[in-house]
Amino acid sequence: MLLAAGVAGLVVAMGLMIWRAIAGPSPYDRMLAGNSFGTKTVLLIAVIGYLFGRPAFLDIAIAYALINFVTTIALMKFVRYRTLAQPLCSPHDTEAKDG
Amino acid sequence: MNAIALEASFALNVALLLMLVAIAAAIAWTRSLVAAILLMGVYSLASAVWLVVMDAADVAFTEAVVGAGVSTVVLLGATLLVRPGPVRVDWRRAIAPAVLVVGVGALLVLAVSGLASFGDPSSPANAHVGRSYLVETPNDIGIPNVVTAVLASYRGFDTLGETVVIFAAGIGVALMLGFGPRSSLPQPPVQPGEHHVVLRVTARLLIPLIILFAFYVLFHGDLGAGGGFQAGVILAVAPILHALVFGLHATTAAIPAGFVRGVAALGVLVFAGVGVVCMANGGGFLDYDRLFMPRVEAMIPPGLLGDPTHSHNWGQHFGILLVEVGVLLTVSSTMVTIFYGFAGRATHDVGSAR
Amino acid sequence: MNFVVTHFNYLAVIVLMMTGLYVLFATGNLIKRMIGLALFQTSTALLYISLGKVAGGTAAIKIYPDSPEAQALAAQLDPAYVAQFGVSGVVYSNPLPHVLILTAIVVGVATLAVGLSIAVRIREAYGTIEADEIEAVRAREPGE
Amino acid sequence: MTLFEAIYVTPPALTAQAPILVVAGPLIGASAAALSPGARTAWMVSVLTAAFALWMSVAVVTEVAREGVVDYALGGFAPPLGIALRIDALGATLALLIASVGLLGALYSGHALSSEVYPGKHGLFQAGYLLCLAGFLGLVFTGDAFNAFVFLEVSSIGTYALVAVGEARDRRALPAAFNYLIFGTVGATFYVLGVGFLYGATGTLNLVDMSVRLAALGDNFAVQAGLAFIVAGLGVKAAIFPLHGWLPGAYAGAPSLVSVFLAATATKSAIYLIVRFVFDVFPTGGFGQTFLALIVAPLAAAAAIVCSVQAIFEKEVRRILAFSSVAQVGFIMLGISLATTGGLSAGVFYLVAHALMKGALFMGVGALAISVKARTVEEFYGLGREAPWSAAAFAVGAASLAGVPLTMGFLAKWSLIAGALEAGALWVVATLAVGSLLTLVYVGRLLEAMFFRAPLPGATRAHEAPFGVLVPLLVMAGLSVWFGVDSSLPESLSRASATGLIGSAR
Amino acid sequence: MADAIHWIGGGLVFAGTLLTLLGGVGVVRFPDVYTRIHAASLTDTGGATLVLIGLGILSGFTLETLKLAFVWAFVMLTTPAAANALANAAFSAGHKPRIGAFQIMKGESSEGAGPAQRDGGVAP
């Protein structure tokens, strides 16, 4: 019962994230919503695995967490830096540029 | 608890489908390409959850890693290279497609009306061949994951074709976009003092874990959701993340583009080679029961790995594993080739092609 | 009305397919068209998966017949139903559509990659990825 | 069949595995070509692989001639659980055709490619070419509806990229390839949808099993709409009339090797699959044939007229040939939709004839274009005297297209008319007559330009294509004449195909 | 005992999802990027922790517990890092926070100003 209520809560939270992803207004809002949507799907998979009696689905949740991260980084690089190929700055690089 | 699971399954099915419709409508409606790409990723994640509810664990795995992962990255890479303006909408030009789409939709509804109702266990789709796989797999193949058994053994030829399709896509992208980073890649607009040390440290921690997880997915594919394809994509995510954080030049220095292409071809050769070995031992193509020569087969002790009843399935076990390794090699290296192609191409202007 | 309830999944999937096709045909932007194509292909996958769902079924990853897991799953369902449609006491969903769709998803991403790479080259050759502008450039070329 | 029995030297162990080797050989060859270090090695791999595929398909044809239908269960699982290859006379005919064109194309690519594709990409290009070959061969051999989709996509994905490579010569290849990709993918997805509905109604993917269960099922919306989706989806690939939009651009823009190969095989294998579904999978005289007669046949007739007219008004030689292909597909579909033994066998004969003549024509255009970048009809003025051998081969192909006696095209038209008269379909005869007259007009225009016009002032003078290009070209053109004189082989194959299809459905 | 485990575990899961839901409300209602990131990332990690601990209690000590720990580790590693990256990128791209000391100091409002704030120059 509690698990089912939890599932419902997660689905509603996912709906809210979709709203934010559609509404924007800035691309960072959208990315935030996408990333948060991903985290919620991870949790949802974990919970429904238990609810349906197949906890082995947790493997899928791990994959979601990984993919979600990589996608967010790719989007961030796209929006902020307009390149996928150049490295992200390390503190060392920036200091060299400043000096 | 029990009845709740069934009801929750139905409610989730409806809720997620409605969510998918909403996302699809938003994709159609939005004029921002970034939003469309991001929503496509969200769509993939949501449909993957729906797939879990529909008991399609393996498909959910694939859809998540492909739809939300690789597709998004490839779309972003392409969008960077084409530097598009906003998507224009011309309502006059949208009428004919709308009519066409409604026509197709009507035909689809007509077709669907001839299908058995959703979830019917005695529908032709579920009662005939699909059920036979469930009944026969323990004896024929001897692995728990029926989807893997069907994918790699019963319909292994399809999977060979699928591997070749991916290989062909790698060839196509390499023919179009070339192989790796150019010297004249654009410089990002970096503010003074801006840096991403958190990401660099996180990535360094994650990349080995990703590779480890990929091999877990590969070798666990017999027992649970997963297999060569999913593992291949996850394995490819490691160099992609590396390139995103540490730069493409650093990645190609570690994993050269030529090497990656070679591995892609090698994967197809491994898969087809398994088939040829089976043929050479007197079986049909991809008949894993004949993977070992009879002399070798006689040497396998019964009850190896503690499973006395299925020692006759050793050929199947090894065949599936080898085939999955072939799939992994081709898929991961093709995904990396595609990423190299898109991320490594410098933006060109008209006339300066090639 | 009853039809809508029993075939809800199929109808929702049809709406998704129509959306994908509409995006594909109504926009001139080549990248958006590829997104529409991907949407259409993914929705086709959803149709297959809906075909293979068995009410009360579970993923076609075998559970050992007498394990507590199997008993818990069987307890959710009417014993007569399990006896008729189950395989050694567990009702599974149909694995075949899952296998087919795994293949179809792969084909989808392959098409996406090739299509986008061609779109990139079009941008380099024509300076635009809007279908009507490409047409306009082509119309001015000799030999048309 | 005597020709092949004479040269037939295949060890029995290979004969038993020949069906799968036809498909798996090019797949392995493709990865070898992708791995090969230089352009020359890649070409040799390509030629050897195509030759092997041809050898094995000859073995399959002999086997089919002896047994009627050859079945091959993959993975050791009997269908419907496993995937099975099922080769009847029609499949064997098409495999022989595809493998022959594949080998000639591979030989031709030795010289023709270097002027069109950057040498560093030859390995990948040859790999893509072999993948297409494997895809088409797999498509005609498979006995499984979904496996056919996989091979459809193997060939298509390779083709999209290969067409786009033509941008080195003509940048219009790029939008054409993109268009082809969109159309082709929608078509393939429609096919998958149709197969999904058939699967939902029958529960099987194996074509033989499916036909048994469909016969028991009777009328059902899912089945009927499924067939409509399948024919529409494959109709895109086969360029059936309103769905042919991708074809002219793709054929005109692609590298000449790809044009040759596509013109000779791509639409044909899709037509094969349509025939397979309508006559083999669906019950005789049932919905399938009604659908063909009521919807596809009028469209085919429209194609035969409209696209011939379009071909007359085109300026570019390759586009003329491409529109002509759409019109000729119309003729083939007209023959097939008669649904009689005579009509079907005429359709199959026409299909083979068209593949050979279009192969020769596109190869001829490619050969002529090696020395001068001739594209439009005006630029072809006077080439007949400057490059006589290539021009002669082109002329033979054109004559066959127009239906001049002593060529295969004449026999094809003749048997089509005979089949239509036998079935009492006078409107088909009329369409054919009008279409043939229109064909004469554009063929005449091409030949006039090449042989009876002086070169444009200031045009660069062409010279004869290299030997390596000329040999496959002359062989291809020679086949059209050879089979026009001694038509026993294609005649017997198409007759066997038709009786196999109509008979097997009963 | 089994009943207690059921209630405690289920309660933790429910509490976790409630937290996530609250975070979702925050993401929709808060005024600018930074506050939204704040709402999302804190509740995501907190909610994930509660949910996964709850599931761990429900499952007892099996292989699944290990996998739960892995999921937890991944979520804890990636979500804050991604949030940090987003905030970092948004700030360096010129987004100004709408509330808080920064705005009072500079006296600027942010939403919709500056070219970098549009969809990276792609959207209208």
Side-chain angles (χ1 to χ4, degrees):
Chain A
M1 189 64 219
L2 282 168
L3 288 188
V7 167
L10 282 172
V11 171
V12 174
M14 283 160 73
L16 293 175
M17 289 304 132
I18 291 176
W19 168 252
R20 181 46 75 198
I22 295 171
S26 81
Y28 299 97
D29 289 302
R30 297 186 205 274
M31 280 188 270
L32 168 74
N35 185 33
S36 191
F37 186 91
T39 313
K40 286 166 182 58
T41 55
V42 171
L43 297 183
L44 186 56
I45 298 271
V47 177
I48 61 183
Y50 279 87
L51 185 61
F52 296 163
R54 300 303 297 268
F57 292 165
L58 279 172
D59 293 347
I60 309 174
I62 298 177
Y64 282 30
L66 285 176
I67 292 295
N68 190 27
F69 178 66
V70 175
T71 311
T72 307
I73 301 304
L75 275 161
M76 188 275 284
K77 281 196 77 175
F78 173 88
V79 171
R80 174 69 188 90
Y81 301 111
R82 317 298 300 165
T83 170
L84 296 183
Q86 297 289 8
L88 290 171
C89 293
S90 72
H92 180 73
D93 296 341
T94 346
E95 274 160 28
K97 240 174 234 168
D98 289 347
Chain B
M1 165 84 194
N2 300 333
I4 289 170
L6 286 181
E7 275 172 33
S9 157
F10 183 73
L12 261 178
N13 172 29
V14 173
L16 287 168
L17 278 174
L18 291 178
M19 201 183 273
L20 287 176
V21 171
I23 300 171
I27 291 173
W29 172 78
T30 184
R31 292 189 186 190
S32 152
L33 266 185
V34 183
I37 294 171
L38 190 142
L39 285 170
M40 203 59 210
V42 170
Y43 179 90
S44 280
L45 282 174
S47 71
V49 177
W50 180 81
L51 289 168
V52 173
V53 177
M54 292 287 110
D55 307 328
D58 287 81
V59 187
F61 215 137
T62 315
E63 177 62 34
V65 291
V66 170
V70 173
S71 296
T72 310
V73 173
V74 168
L75 275 166
L76 289 176
T79 311
L80 273 182
L81 289 174
V82 302
R83 289 167 290 162
V87 178
R88 284 174 299 153
V89 178
D90 184 353
W91 290 111
R92 280 160 305 170
R93 277 190 47 191
I95 294 170
V99 172
L100 178 76
V101 166
V102 169
V104 172
L107 190 56
L108 281 168
V109 172
L110 195 69
V112 156
S113 71
L115 291 176
S117 52
F118 170 71
D120 182 1
S122 57
S123 72
N126 296 332
H128 182 41
V129 177
R131 191 181 160 81
S132 310
Y133 286 127
L134 289 165
V135 176
E136 302 293 336
T137 298
N139 186 42
D140 282 352
I141 318 285
I143 62 171
N145 187 347
V146 183
V147 175
T148 302
V150 179
L151 186 80
S153 191
Y154 287 111
R155 296 185 69 88
F157 195 50
D158 262 0
T159 308
L160 175 62
E162 164 194 331
T163 314
V164 171
V165 167
I166 275 289
F167 179 56
I171 289 178
V173 173
L175 274 174
M176 286 289 99
L177 298 182
F179 310 117
R182 307 303 163 95
S183 48
S184 61
L185 289 170
Q187 283 300 324
V190 181
Q191 300 286 322
E194 180 183 6
H195 64 79
H196 281 280
V197 70
V198 175
L199 276 188
R200 291 175 73 97
V201 172
T202 314
R204 210 161 263 153
L205 276 170
L206 269 180
I207 287 171
L209 287 177
I210 292 176
I211 295 172
L212 194 67
F213 182 59
F215 283 103
Y216 165 76
V217 171
L218 173 70
F219 291 111
H220 195 252
D222 290 4
L223 310 173
F229 186 76
Q230 293 92 331
V233 180
I234 292 174
L235 188 60
V237 163
I240 290 177
L241 180 60
H242 187 269
L244 286 174
V245 175
F246 301 105
L248 191 58
H249 283 288
T251 313
T252 44
I255 314 172
F259 170 76
V260 176
R261 257 191 311 144
V263 173
L266 189 70
V268 176
L269 281 182
V270 167
F271 200 139
V274 170
V276 173
V277 167
C278 299
M279 245 159 39
N281 287 335
F285 191 71
L286 294 175
D287 184 354
Y288 308 137
D289 287 335
R290 304 292 189 92
L291 185 65
F292 301 116
M293 281 182 279
R295 222 161 0 123
V296 179
E297 181 126 10
M299 278 153 51
I300 298 174
L304 189 63
L305 285 189
D307 190 4
T309 49
H310 292 128
S311 51
H312 71 282
N313 289 136
W314 270 98
Q316 293 285 348
H317 282 293
F318 268 93
I320 290 176
L321 192 61
L322 281 174
V323 159
E324 298 270 22
V325 168
V327 175
L328 171 107
L329 293 178
T330 298
V331 168
S332 57
S333 45
T334 305
M335 293 298 166
V336 173
T337 303
I338 291 174
F339 177 76
Y340 281 0
F342 278 99
R345 195 169 179 85
T347 41
H348 289 282
D349 280 309
V350 185
S352 69
R354 193 177 310 284
Chain C
M1 202 56 220
N2 190 34
F3 171 73
V4 175
V5 173
T6 55
H7 291 68
F8 174 78
N9 270 46
Y10 301 125
L11 297 176
V13 168
I14 288 173
V15 172
L16 291 176
M17 278 185 221
M18 286 165 64
T19 316
L21 267 184
Y22 178 76
V23 174
L24 172 64
F25 288 128
T27 40
N29 185 302
L30 300 190
I31 296 212
K32 190 86 188 264
R33 292 183 85 172
M34 287 310 295
I35 292 177
L37 193 62
L39 199 56
F40 180 48
Q41 285 181 302
T42 318
S43 330
T44 314
L46 303 190
L47 178 85
Y48 268 74
I49 299 294
S50 295
L51 274 176
K53 171 71 182 172
V54 171
T58 187
I61 299 168
K62 286 267 179 178
I63 302 168
Y64 289 103
D66 294 322
S67 62
E69 214 177 352
Q71 283 159 3
L73 283 169
Q76 295 178 358
L77 302 168
D78 182 11
Y81 184 83
V82 177
Q84 192 182 354
F85 299 111
V87 177
S88 33
V90 183
V91 177
Y92 296 102
S93 279
N94 184 354
L96 181 54
H98 303 177
V99 174
L100 304 180
I101 286 322
L102 278 174
T103 308
I105 289 177
V106 175
V107 168
V109 70
T111 316
L112 184 72
V114 174
L116 287 174
S117 63
I118 296 175
V120 167
R121 295 306 303 272
I122 290 179
R123 170 65 175 74
E124 289 171 8
Y126 287 85
T128 175
I129 54 160
E130 292 290 330
D132 46 355
E133 290 173 16
I134 297 167
E135 270 316 309
V137 175
R138 281 177 57 169
R140 287 198 298 273
E141 281 192 80
E144 279 290 321
Chain D
M1 213 49 56
T2 48
L3 175 68
F4 286 117
E5 273 163 19
I7 58 165
Y8 174 60
V9 274
T10 312
L14 273 184
T15 312
Q17 307 282 5
I20 186 62
L21 285 174
V22 170
V23 185
L27 287 183
I28 296 172
S31 22
L35 283 173
S36 58
R40 210 72 207 153
T41 336
W43 176 68
M44 273 158 68
V45 169
S46 185
V47 170
L48 286 177
T49 311
F52 178 74
L54 180 58
W55 180 27
M56 284 298 119
S57 29
V58 169
V60 172
V61 170
T62 357
E63 197 68 10
V64 168
R66 199 163 41 227
E67 310 252 324
V69 176
V70 173
D71 285 297
Y72 185 95
L74 282 150
F77 298 106
L81 280 197
I83 294 174
L85 302 182
R86 184 179 169 81
I87 303 116
D88 57 1
L90 180 59
T93 311
L94 271 147
L96 193 60
L97 176 74
I98 292 168
S100 318
V101 175
L103 177 60
L104 289 174
L107 284 171
Y108 170 80
S109 72
H111 286 278
L113 216 54
S114 45
S115 66
E116 289 177 320
V117 180
Y118 170 67
K121 287 182 172 171
H122 277 201
L124 289 177
F125 189 91
Q126 295 287 10
Y129 178 68
L130 289 175
L131 285 181
C132 290
L133 181 63
F136 290 130
L137 286 169
L139 193 59
V140 296
F141 271 14
T142 186
D144 188 279
F146 198 82
N147 195 238
F149 164 69
V150 173
F151 279 108
L152 197 67
E153 283 294 332
V154 169
S155 59
S156 306
I157 299 227
T159 317
Y160 305 144
L162 293 188
V163 170
V165 168
E167 52 89 32
R169 192 192 64 227
D170 180 357
R171 69 175 174 170
R172 285 175 303 165
L174 288 169
F178 192 84
N179 220 4
Y180 184 16
L181 183 135
I182 296 277
F183 267 92
T185 309
V186 171
T189 312
F190 271 23
Y191 175 77
V192 172
L193 271 176
V195 170
F197 289 128
L198 290 188
Y199 171 70
T202 62
T204 184
L205 292 166
N206 183 272
L207 293 178
V208 178
D209 195 20
M210 198 183 267
S211 79
V212 172
R213 295 180 147 249
L214 277 179
L217 201 62
D219 280 346
N220 177 325
F221 277 141
V223 170
Q224 296 179 345
L227 183 78
F229 274 111
I230 286 175
V231 174
L234 292 172
V236 174
K237 297 274 178 187
I240 290 176
F241 175 51
L243 309 172
H244 69 281
W246 57 271
L247 189 142
Y251 282 16
S256 58
L257 165 65
V258 180
S259 302
V260 171
F261 190 62
L262 286 187
T265 57
T267 52
K268 314 297 179 284
S269 47
I271 292 175
Y272 162 81
L273 210 53
I274 293 179
V275 170
R276 194 76 195 269
F277 268 97
V278 169
F279 291 97
D280 225 13
V281 177
F282 274 72
T284 312
F287 178 73
Q289 287 171 26
T290 320
F291 185 80
L292 212 56
L294 288 185
I295 298 193
V296 178
L299 292 177
I305 307 294
V306 174
C307 290
S308 297
V309 174
Q310 267 174 304
I312 291 173
F313 290 103
E314 271 298 329
K315 289 197 194 78
E316 243 178 285
V317 176
R318 280 159 175 265
R319 288 179 72 89
I320 293 178
L321 296 179
F323 274 112
S324 149
S325 274
V326 182
Q328 305 284 318
V329 165
F331 287 151
I332 296 170
M333 289 313 293
L334 271 180
I336 288 167
S337 57
L338 289 175
T340 59
T341 318
L344 253 182
S345 78
V348 175
F349 190 89
Y350 204 116
L351 188 151
V352 176
H354 178 239
L356 291 177
M357 62 180 131
K358 269 292 150 53
L361 283 168
F362 273 108
M363 233 183 225
V365 173
L368 291 169
I370 286 178
S371 53
V372 289
K373 300 276 170 261
R375 216 163 70 174
T376 60
V377 177
E378 278 102 38
E379 286 163 345
F380 267 68
Y381 282 174
L383 285 185
R385 259 157 295 171
E386 289 161 4
W389 286 103
S390 312
F394 182 91
V396 168
S400 182
L401 184 60
V404 173
L406 289 185
T407 60
M408 210 176 167
F410 172 73
L411 291 181
K413 290 209 163 90
W414 184 257
S415 60
L416 200 51
I417 290 173
L421 286 176
E422 184 190 290
L426 286 177
W427 66 279
V428 172
V429 180
T431 316
L432 197 67
V434 176
S436 301
L437 282 177
L438 294 171
T439 312
L440 266 181
V441 175
Y442 62 79
V443 165
R445 190 165 146 239
L446 284 177
L447 292 181
E448 187 213 356
M450 282 176 71
F451 291 100
F452 302 112
R453 292 292 189 111
L456 287 182
T460 43
R461 289 188 60 79
H463 35 83
E464 192 52 84
F467 189 66
V469 170
L470 220 46
V471 170
L473 171 60
L474 288 175
V475 171
M476 189 85 100
L479 282 177
S480 280
V481 179
W482 174 279
F483 290 138
V485 177
D486 173 19
S487 66
S488 58
L489 177 71
E491 196 94 53
S492 62
L493 283 175
S494 54
R495 180 69 45 181
S497 307
T499 47
L501 283 170
I502 304 267
S504 72
R506 279 208 181 104
Chain E
M1 183 62 199
D3 220 33
I5 284 177
H6 176 75
W7 282 105
I8 295 171
L12 282 174
V13 171
F14 184 68
T17 53
L18 208 61
L19 192 56
T20 321
L21 186 58
L22 285 175
V25 173
V27 169
V28 171
R29 297 288 299 155
F30 280 178
D32 69 356
V33 183
Y34 303 99
T35 46
R36 286 175 197 144
I37 290 176
H38 201 73
S41 72
L42 281 182
T43 57
D44 275 353
T45 47
T49 311
L50 287 175
V51 167
L52 295 173
I53 290 176
L55 291 177
I57 291 174
L58 282 179
S59 72
F61 193 76
T62 55
L63 180 68
E64 266 67 49
T65 324
L66 190 69
K67 285 191 195 167
L68 284 171
F70 263 109
V71 176
W72 182 79
F74 275 120
V75 170
M76 289 308 271
L77 203 55
T78 57
T79 308
N84 166 276
L86 284 181
N88 190 341
F91 188 74
S92 61
H95 279 257
K96 303 284 186 308
R98 232 182 184 185
I99 55 172
F102 195 88
Q103 195 230 350
I104 296 165
M105 272 181 340
K106 301 260 176 143
E108 284 171 15
S109 91
S110 73
E111 207 68 39
Q117 274 181 304
R118 294 191 273 121
D119 275 0
V122 170

